[in-house]
Amino acid sequence: MKSADILTGITTTGTPHLGNYVGAIRPAIESSKDDTKQAYYFLADYHSIIKCQDPDRIKKSALEIAATWIAFGLDTDKSIFYRQTDIPEVMELTWILTCMTSKGLMNRAHAYKAAVDNNEKTGRKDLDKDITMGLFCYPILMAADILMFNAKKVPVGKDQIQHLEMTRDIAGRFNHTYGEHFALPQAVVDEKTAVLAGLDGRKMSKSYNNTIPLFEPEKRFRKLIMKIKTNSLAPEEPKDPETCTLFAIYQAFAKPDEIKAMEKRYRQGIAWGTMKQELFEYLNETLKEPRKRYNDLIKSPGDIDEILKKGALKAREYSVPFIDKIRKSIGIQPITA
Ligand code: TRP
């Protein structure tokens, strides 16, 4: 099995929403079509237990995320689609890398620092209150995900750039100590992919509770679109597409000529009610087929498990011999070998 030209992980805590699709799923499926590049995509289920201690949520999220990626046409023969926990070598590598990571580096990780800041702000005496070693060491687990498959390019959001820098740091120290085993990965942050705004106009994100899930039943989906915040301009008043959440979402899905035409209607003063209805109809039509596939998949979770198992088998063709090599390089092997 080839190493990863492209690799990315999705934490299994949420229900996929429009922002996930535009920002991560669509570009990933697009790049998985490139025959010359081996893509690895995985459900980061060990990452999910850092923040979420609700087993049902995690299980449901894994199913929803896997079904979403497949419903949108991820080619699971070409790309390797798997569950992190099906690759035990990742856990083993995590420990080995932990022994190559200076504590000071982890002290600087932004998720940990934000938690400490929060304790400070809320006046807690113990600044490490409620912070687990899972949260503290989280960048090491991510480094293991990436280095396990010698990934070259890692498409991520801006908030993950620091983790890629840390991954290179850890890999560099390993290579310096034990020989050149790991390639140094690059974060790929595509400035061109849209960051969608959510119901309240802030970035669509689970942490803001402002998301529009991709595969809500039609009625509920329409209701959510109707809830998107707009300004108070009256019908017929000219409107600015640039600063409008509705337009931004439309733009992320529509074709160039459709976008142009809509822009014109904004200048002419389309009413918010009309725009919301049209946006709903457009998205509803666009998502119709994937929604159908999604609902079918959710009803046969066994098929999804099969696909993920097959992916893990392929991934392990790489990780099993590679971890063996890593073990040997650090002096852990049968004494007679
Ligand atoms: N930490 C990433 C996020 O929150 C998810 C993730 C886990 C990941 N392991 C990874 C992304 C490895 C890229 C590569 O978005």
Side-chain angles (χ1 to χ4, degrees):
M1 188 46 67
K2 254 185 98 198
S3 63
D5 295 301
I6 308 166
L7 173 145
T8 201
I10 320 107
T11 307
T12 52
T13 47
T15 297
H17 54 71
L18 294 178
N20 295 142
Y21 174 65
V22 170
I25 305 171
R26 187 168 63 186
I29 291 177
E30 236 4 84
S31 42
S32 75
K33 290 186 182 141
D34 182 343
D35 280 326
T36 65
K37 302 234 156 62
Q38 182 60 60
Y40 285 60
Y41 299 125
F42 67 96
L43 305 175
D45 42 5
Y46 269 138
H47 282 264
S48 70
I49 60 172
I50 296 171
K51 280 200 187 146
C52 176
Q53 281 89 43
D54 175 350
D56 292 335
R57 175 90 286 269
I58 286 172
K59 194 170 163 216
K60 189 159 173 248
S61 172
L63 170 68
E64 289 172 343
I65 294 172
T68 301
W69 283 63
I70 300 166
F72 278 116
L74 177 70
D75 185 335
T76 52
D77 287 325
K78 258 190 212 159
S79 51
I80 304 182
F81 190 50
Y82 59 101
R83 197 189 277 277
Q84 179 187 38
T85 43
D86 279 339
I87 319 292
E89 296 74 36
V90 168
M91 278 330 289
E92 197 174 335
L93 184 59
T94 300
W95 175 251
I96 296 171
L97 296 179
T98 300
C99 297
M100 282 285 110
T101 306
S102 63
K103 177 172 172 288
L105 186 70
M106 292 302 100
N107 286 341
R108 294 193 287 278
H110 65 67
Y112 170 64
K113 268 177 45 185
V116 171
D117 284 352
N118 189 45
N119 279 337
E120 199 164 16
K121 264 196 220 110
T122 50
R124 286 170 153 168
K125 271 209 289 303
D126 176 7
L127 293 185
D128 280 326
K129 179 119 178 65
D130 292 339
I131 299 175
T132 64
M133 288 306 288
L135 178 74
F136 186 67
C137 297
Y138 146 61
I140 311 178
L141 177 58
M142 184 157 160
D145 291 330
I146 297 168
L147 299 176
M148 187 76 261
F149 299 103
N150 261 321
K152 292 191 193 71
K153 301 236 145 99
V154 183
V156 281
K158 278 202 189 74
D159 60 323
Q160 301 292 317
I161 294 175
Q162 187 197 39
H163 297 144
L164 265 293
E165 282 164 6
M166 291 176 160
T167 301
R168 285 199 296 277
D169 211 88
I170 298 167
R173 180 157 169 189
F174 187 100
N175 288 348
H176 182 77
T177 311
Y178 296 115
E180 293 288 321
H181 290 280
F182 296 120
L184 302 190
Q186 292 290 335
V188 184
V189 180
D190 191 350
E191 299 291 345
K192 288 198 303 287
T193 47
V195 176
L196 278 201
L199 295 175
D200 58 358
R202 291 186 293 173
K203 178 188 167 190
M204 191 182 291
S205 158
K206 185 172 152 332
S207 35
Y208 294 145
N209 200 16
N210 65 354
T211 65
I212 304 174
L214 280 157
F215 299 125
E216 288 293 297
E218 219 170 283
K219 239 171 131 181
R220 165 113 186 99
F221 188 64
R222 182 172 181 278
K223 228 181 185 162
L224 282 171
I225 304 275
M226 294 296 151
K227 261 173 62 180
I228 297 174
K229 207 171 120 194
T230 56
N231 59 27
S232 53
L233 288 174
E236 270 141 61
E237 278 188 88
K239 298 176 176 68
D240 180 13
E242 296 300 315
T243 55
C244 177
T245 303
L246 297 170
F247 187 83
I249 298 176
Y250 183 76
Q251 192 172 29
F253 287 86
K255 299 182 191 72
D257 54 324
E258 294 168 332
I259 297 168
K260 265 220 177 88
M262 187 55 85
E263 229 161 12
K264 202 161 148 214
R265 291 174 66 200
Y266 262 69
R267 309 276 176 218
Q268 291 165 345
I270 187 172
W272 289 136
T274 313
M275 179 56 191
K276 284 182 173 177
Q277 179 61 26
E278 290 199 21
L279 179 63
F280 160 69
E281 281 165 15
Y282 196 93
L283 292 179
N284 197 43
E285 189 54 38
T286 309
L287 297 175
K288 204 181 224 149
E289 284 303 311
R291 184 192 282 133
K292 208 170 143 295
R293 282 195 294 271
Y294 176 85
N295 286 329
D296 287 345
L297 282 158
I298 293 282
K299 276 188 236 132
S300 14
D303 293 352
I304 298 181
D305 271 338
E306 277 309 304
I307 290 173
L308 292 170
K309 281 230 175 72
K310 214 177 66 195
L313 275 179
K314 281 196 278 178
R316 294 191 76 202
E317 283 176 28
Y318 192 86
S319 63
V320 171
F322 189 40
I323 200 74
D324 203 44
K325 197 166 141 251
I326 295 296
R327 261 194 232 121
K328 286 204 177 92
S329 78
I330 61 177
I332 294 189
Q333 60 185 319
I335 296 161
T336 52

